[in-house]
Amino acid sequence: VLFMSVELIIGRAGTGKTFDCLMQMKKILAESPLDTEIIFLLPAYQTYRAELELANITGGAVNTEMCSFQRFSRQILSEVGGAIVPRISEIGRRLLLRKILLNHIKSDDLKFYKRAARQRGFAESLSQELQEFRTYSIDAEKIFSVIELVEDEELSNKLEDVAIFLDDFRKSCEGKQNDESDLLEKAAESIKNSAAVKRSEIFVDGFIFFDPQQRKILRELFQYAKNIHIVLPMSADLNNRENISPFGIFNRAFETFKMLRNMSEEMKIDFKITRCEKSWRFENN
């Protein structure tokens, strides 16, 4: 295992957490620009701004990638294999689901969604619902396994229909194309074979929580990257009420902090906290 440490950079808005990441990147690029790659994971809408800020600080950077989890996953699969199978687009998902719905309307075998399946726009709603199930690694088999434990008949019927939709969609895509929601799952399985990851410093910013698929990727990065640095917006005082109260504004980020700390301890990885406390952005307001 090549991993050295997990660093959590915490602080309120405007305390320089992202700037701290960029300065660390500048230092890495100055010391070993060709030996170490930098991967900065962000929400997709933040990547362009981060590229501009790093360029302003360094004057130009090599071996640096600013990308979302989805784009990062595609790069991993391009490197180790698995990206050749075509991906189905959102429009493709909806068309396929409409075909599945039409088959069930003809066979009249739905219980809960019998009327809804005929309504305009239902395929779009169903597409979003199924994607959320996949994001949380819930497949048809898991749903079928708990249906008999559900006492409410209406809920049981609803779960059975959802499980059927999930299973039909999986079978329709199998061996032909990848669903976008499978992308992160496949990437997580492939990270251990990525030479790029093993020579990379990973920075993560812009998130207050990680869904199960993103957590799987982080767990693999914990094992195979050089170092990983994760920014969380929360009070630098861990015992602050805004962190620990279930109604505190930083509670969700604090729960993510605890999850990452527990993961590090479980995997016996060095864990350190960098606290950003001075409010640089708002000091003159």
Side-chain angles (χ1 to χ4, degrees):
V1 176
L2 300 175
F3 201 83
M4 293 169 62
S5 68
V6 172
E7 178 189 23
L8 287 191
I9 303 168
I10 62 174
R12 297 170 181 268
T15 54
K17 301 182 298 297
T18 301
F19 184 74
D20 182 86
C21 288
L22 295 173
M23 292 305 292
Q24 288 196 58
M25 292 179 197
K26 180 180 180 181
K27 183 179 178 182
I28 293 167
L29 291 169
E31 293 176 351
S32 55
L34 301 179
D35 297 330
T36 302
E37 294 188 20
I38 292 173
I39 298 172
F40 200 3
L41 293 174
L42 301 143
Y45 66 89
Q46 291 187 11
T47 54
Y48 179 66
R49 180 180 175 184
E51 285 181 6
L52 288 179
E53 289 179 348
L54 182 61
N56 287 334
I57 289 174
T58 62
V62 296
N63 285 347
T64 304
E65 284 284 345
M66 310 280 183
C67 50
S68 64
F69 272 94
Q70 286 74 17
R71 183 178 168 190
F72 172 69
S73 298
R74 284 193 285 271
Q75 290 175 343
I76 292 295
L77 294 177
S78 294
E79 179 193 355
V80 304
I84 298 176
V85 179
R87 294 188 309 276
I88 187 170
S89 65
E90 177 58 28
I91 294 175
R93 284 174 58 86
R94 294 176 185 179
L95 291 172
L96 184 53
L97 286 171
R98 283 175 189 156
K99 181 180 177 182
I100 290 170
L101 288 170
L102 185 59
N103 289 337
H104 286 292
I105 290 170
K106 288 179 179 178
S107 59
D108 195 29
D109 58 355
L110 296 175
K111 296 179 179 178
F112 181 85
Y113 288 112
K114 183 176 291 190
R115 292 179 61 186
R118 300 175 182 272
Q119 295 176 359
R120 186 171 184 175
F122 180 67
E124 287 81 353
S125 300
L126 182 60
S127 175
Q128 294 173 2
E129 186 175 347
L130 297 191
Q131 273 189 302
E132 190 165 354
F133 274 105
R134 294 307 306 275
T135 296
Y136 285 85
S137 301
I138 299 173
D139 57 18
E141 187 176 341
K142 287 183 180 177
I143 297 176
F144 280 128
S145 69
V146 301
I147 286 176
E148 59 186 32
L149 304 176
V150 178
E151 296 180 359
D152 183 276
E153 184 180 1
E154 188 175 48
L155 179 57
S156 176
N157 290 340
K158 182 177 183 179
L159 288 172
E160 186 174 343
D161 284 355
V162 169
I164 289 170
F165 294 143
L166 276 168
D167 196 44
D168 285 354
F169 187 79
R170 178 190 62 80
K171 289 175 180 175
S172 298
C173 290
E174 203 166 38
K176 302 173 187 174
Q177 51 207 348
N178 285 328
D179 182 20
E180 189 74 20
S181 56
D182 294 330
L183 189 63
L184 273 67
E185 293 277 348
K186 288 182 168 61
E189 295 168 4
S190 303
I191 283 174
K192 61 180 178 291
N193 299 318
S194 170
V197 165
K198 291 173 183 175
R199 58 176 180 264
S200 293
E201 292 264 350
I202 310 290
F203 293 82
V204 186
D205 192 6
F207 299 91
I208 61 171
F209 76 101
F210 301 99
D211 65 42
Q213 289 182 326
Q214 292 169 339
R215 288 203 294 268
K216 284 183 181 179
I217 284 184
L218 289 175
R219 177 176 282 273
E220 294 302 307
L221 292 175
F222 275 24
Q223 294 187 73
Y224 297 106
K226 279 188 172 182
N227 292 289
I228 185 165
H229 316 263
I230 303 176
V231 171
L232 286 174
M234 52 185 275
S235 173
D237 175 10
L238 297 182
N239 295 318
N240 189 294
R241 182 175 177 80
E242 292 172 314
N243 288 340
I244 61 178
S245 168
F247 306 105
I249 59 173
F250 299 128
N251 182 253
R252 195 167 197 186
F254 182 60
E255 291 300 318
T256 301
F257 171 91
K258 291 192 293 183
M259 180 273 293
L260 294 168
R261 181 179 59 189
N262 293 341
M263 188 188 298
S264 301
E265 291 173 353
E266 174 196 329
M267 299 172 72
K268 296 180 170 54
I269 294 169
D270 289 340
F271 178 87
K272 62 181 181 179
I273 303 170
T274 297
R275 291 174 168 84
C276 298
E277 300 183 78
K278 183 175 180 180
S279 183
W280 297 97
R281 189 190 307 165
F282 307 116
E283 64 179 344
N284 295 321
N285 287 11

